[in-house]
Amino acid sequence: MAWLQTHWIAVALLALYGALLVRHAIEGRRGTKGQADYYVGGRSMGGVVLGLSFFATYSSTNSFVGFSGQAYTYGAPWLLLAPAVVVFSLSAWIWVAPRLRAFTGAVDSVTLADYVGFRFESRAARVLAAVIVIFASFLYMIAVFKGIGNLLEIFLDIPYRGAIGFVFLVVVLYTAVGGFISVVKTDAVQGIVMSIAAVLLFWGTLNSAGGLGAIDAIRAAPATSELFRWDAAMPFPVLVGIIVAGTLKFIVDPRQLSRFYALADPTAVRRGLIVSTIAFLGVYTLLLPIGLYAHAVIGSGLAESDLVVPTLLGDAGILPALPAAFILVAMLAAAMSSLDSVLLVMASTWERDVISLFRPHADEGRAVAHTRFWVALFAIITAWLALNPPGSIVTLTAFSGGLYAACFFPAVVLGLLWRRGTGAGAVASLVTGCVVLLCWDWVPFSEAVHEVFPAMALSLAAYVACGLAAPPLAAARRLDIKL
């Protein structure tokens, strides 16, 4: 009872949010008639809801807990993430969304892996892509679970393991039941909630720090003056690599790209672009300086930047009870908006691009039922791994993003823009990107350059070399869809 008296506002808001999730799950189940509905909303959704979903899916607790606190250790150069987010998001909507929507609709593609398989007429490329998607998704989900676990542990006095279990149960239930329709509707609400939370969190931190001018005192203090150097925490090219790895995923991450599959028409593309750009620009401009201003509020003694936001929220002197509780719910919403999308991507990829290859005649109803089972199974595995996470939120997120960038940039971007791509090139780029990314630390002087740059460069080189070596007409036939 004492715990409930202390946290009743947060509990009440969470109950309201839970009721919304139940409603969306029911609506999603009613709207699901087959695989296309369960995986990509029947390709008939509007731009506003998908634009908000695109924003919310990216902006998980990795952003609200990891990214917003990272300037605490990375310093002022970390603020470059904000323009990078906007630029790469715009690039995805302008160059990838219209073409991917047209191509995947024409060939009935519903996952990134089957797009690779259909585009390059290669079963090997399809299966390899599926394996990479599932592995990278595991890393990302561990990071999300870690972020929300830390937050609930500090703010609500819930044991870390209990917090992981609670989030696991909620996400599995509404994702498995409602599928893509439920996920996107929930994401749209979550996007609005997270935007309000960003304003509240920035306002509370800024007030406690002493206003915008507090940054001058932080820059002048001996303990924090180093945070304003270009190489504050690491060589600048390495930091740029982390930023690129974390933002290039707009173009290659299957959970982001799945929103493009669902767009109803070109008008929806334009509306989605506008909505998502406004959301990213406003929210990340507010979130990223929080880690710097935190030095004026909580000092410089935290062991890791992942604890900055939970510590700020746990201090009653920074935010009143109601705004703090609202931000907590927003953080939980942020986690769920990413977990649900990643879970659906993993489950649909496993069922569609691995299992169905060995069971090609299963009916759609059975395939959807199997996908629901995979949602639960993958969530169990990831929650268990998150109990002892192998790295920090930003480290796991950046590596996952780097894996997508290195492996899928040639197949996705050049696959849509350049007609000479081949199945051999797709396989070569996937293998090359993965191997270089995993082995880069063993290369002499590798610490001076982030692994995403050499991995992408060599992956692109392998793809282009195979394409140039193929007969031009044979390669061109694979992209006969008008884009």
Side-chain angles (χ1 to χ4, degrees):
M1 288 301 296
W3 178 88
L4 188 59
Q5 289 176 348
T6 303
H7 302 292
W8 70 270
I9 297 177
V11 171
L13 290 176
L14 286 172
L16 291 173
Y17 185 69
L20 179 67
L21 295 181
V22 170
R23 177 181 176 181
H24 286 166
I26 294 172
E27 291 175 352
R29 187 173 182 83
R30 288 174 178 170
T32 298
K33 308 301 180 185
Q35 277 185 296
D37 296 322
Y38 192 77
Y39 293 169
V40 291
R43 307 183 196 276
S44 60
M45 306 193 78
V48 174
V49 68
L50 286 173
L52 285 170
S53 179
F54 189 82
F55 159 72
T57 298
Y58 181 84
S59 304
S60 66
T61 46
N62 298 0
S63 300
F64 277 79
V65 177
F67 289 176
S68 62
Q70 196 62 59
Y72 187 83
T73 54
Y74 282 8
W78 183 245
L79 303 185
L80 292 174
L81 178 65
V85 165
V86 174
V87 168
F88 280 104
S89 174
L90 280 172
S91 299
W93 281 96
I94 293 171
W95 287 302
V96 177
R99 294 173 173 83
L100 191 64
R101 172 186 163 272
F103 186 89
T104 56
V107 299
D108 195 29
S109 166
V110 294
T111 69
L112 178 60
D114 72 10
Y115 154 75
V116 172
F118 294 153
R119 164 64 181 89
F120 301 103
E121 297 177 357
S122 171
R123 182 168 178 167
R126 181 176 179 179
V127 173
L128 182 57
V131 172
I132 294 171
V133 165
I134 291 171
F135 175 68
S137 296
F138 270 125
L139 297 178
Y140 187 83
M141 284 184 62
I142 291 170
V144 177
F145 269 124
K146 183 179 187 297
I148 197 60
N150 288 340
L151 189 68
L152 293 178
E153 181 179 31
I154 292 176
F155 189 72
L156 287 184
D157 299 320
I158 298 175
Y160 180 81
R161 289 173 177 262
I164 296 294
F166 169 73
V167 174
F168 156 77
L169 286 174
V170 174
V171 172
V172 166
L173 286 174
Y174 82 82
T175 304
V177 171
F180 190 87
I181 296 172
S182 171
V183 165
V184 168
K185 287 186 175 182
T186 301
D187 283 353
V189 176
Q190 289 164 339
I192 297 171
V193 169
M194 286 188 284
S195 299
I196 298 171
V199 174
L200 293 175
L201 184 59
F202 179 76
W203 169 78
T205 304
L206 199 66
N207 278 350
S208 298
L212 287 171
I215 201 71
D216 295 328
I218 298 170
R219 184 188 294 112
T224 51
S225 60
E226 292 294 315
L227 295 175
F228 295 84
R229 295 168 51 95
W230 287 110
D231 57 348
M234 63 191 71
F236 185 66
V238 176
L239 178 68
V240 172
I242 293 174
I243 291 174
V244 170
T247 53
L248 194 60
K249 65 173 57 180
F250 286 122
I251 299 174
V252 294
D253 191 325
R255 65 196 174 94
Q256 301 294 146
L257 296 180
S258 65
R259 274 59 191 160
F260 301 155
Y261 288 50
L263 290 161
D265 50 43
T267 299
V269 176
R270 291 191 293 271
R271 289 175 178 169
L273 182 153
I274 294 170
V275 170
S276 63
T277 300
I278 292 173
F280 278 122
L281 180 62
V283 169
Y284 281 79
T285 299
L286 296 175
L287 285 182
L288 296 181
I290 287 173
L292 282 175
Y293 280 102
H295 284 282
V297 181
I298 57 180
S300 303
L302 288 184
E304 57 175 315
S305 61
D306 289 350
L307 298 176
V308 170
V309 171
T311 301
L312 291 172
L313 291 179
D315 189 338
I318 296 175
L319 283 169
L322 182 57
F326 183 89
I327 292 174
L328 173 70
V329 174
M331 301 299 102
L332 186 60
M336 291 180 179
S337 67
S338 290
L339 288 173
D340 56 18
S341 299
V342 178
L343 271 177
L344 194 57
V345 162
M346 293 172 73
S348 59
T349 298
W350 179 253
E351 175 63 28
R352 172 91 169 182
D353 303 305
V354 179
I355 298 299
S356 68
L357 297 183
F358 301 96
R359 194 182 60 245
H361 302 297
D363 63 78
E364 287 203 17
R366 183 174 297 178
V368 170
H370 290 166
T371 305
R372 290 189 168 110
F373 171 78
W374 302 130
V375 166
L377 180 61
F378 285 136
I380 290 171
I381 295 171
T382 312
W384 177 75
L385 292 173
L387 297 178
N388 295 289
S392 70
I393 292 174
V394 171
T395 299
L396 292 169
T397 302
F399 188 82
S400 173
L403 195 59
Y404 282 131
C407 294
F408 289 110
F409 185 83
V412 173
V413 178
L414 290 191
L416 292 170
L417 300 176
W418 189 49
R419 302 176 69 85
R420 298 280 305 256
T422 65
V427 171
S429 65
L430 291 170
V431 172
T432 301
C434 188
V435 170
V436 174
L437 196 76
L438 291 173
C439 299
W440 182 248
D441 286 343
W442 284 278
V443 175
F445 309 109
S446 60
E447 65 277 2
V449 179
H450 193 274
E451 59 265 23
V452 73
F453 293 123
M456 280 188 62
L458 293 174
S459 177
L460 278 167
Y463 181 90
V464 171
C466 290
L468 292 175
L473 292 178
R477 292 193 193 102
R478 296 186 177 91
L479 199 58
D480 289 333
I481 309 300
K482 184 179 179 181
L483 299 177

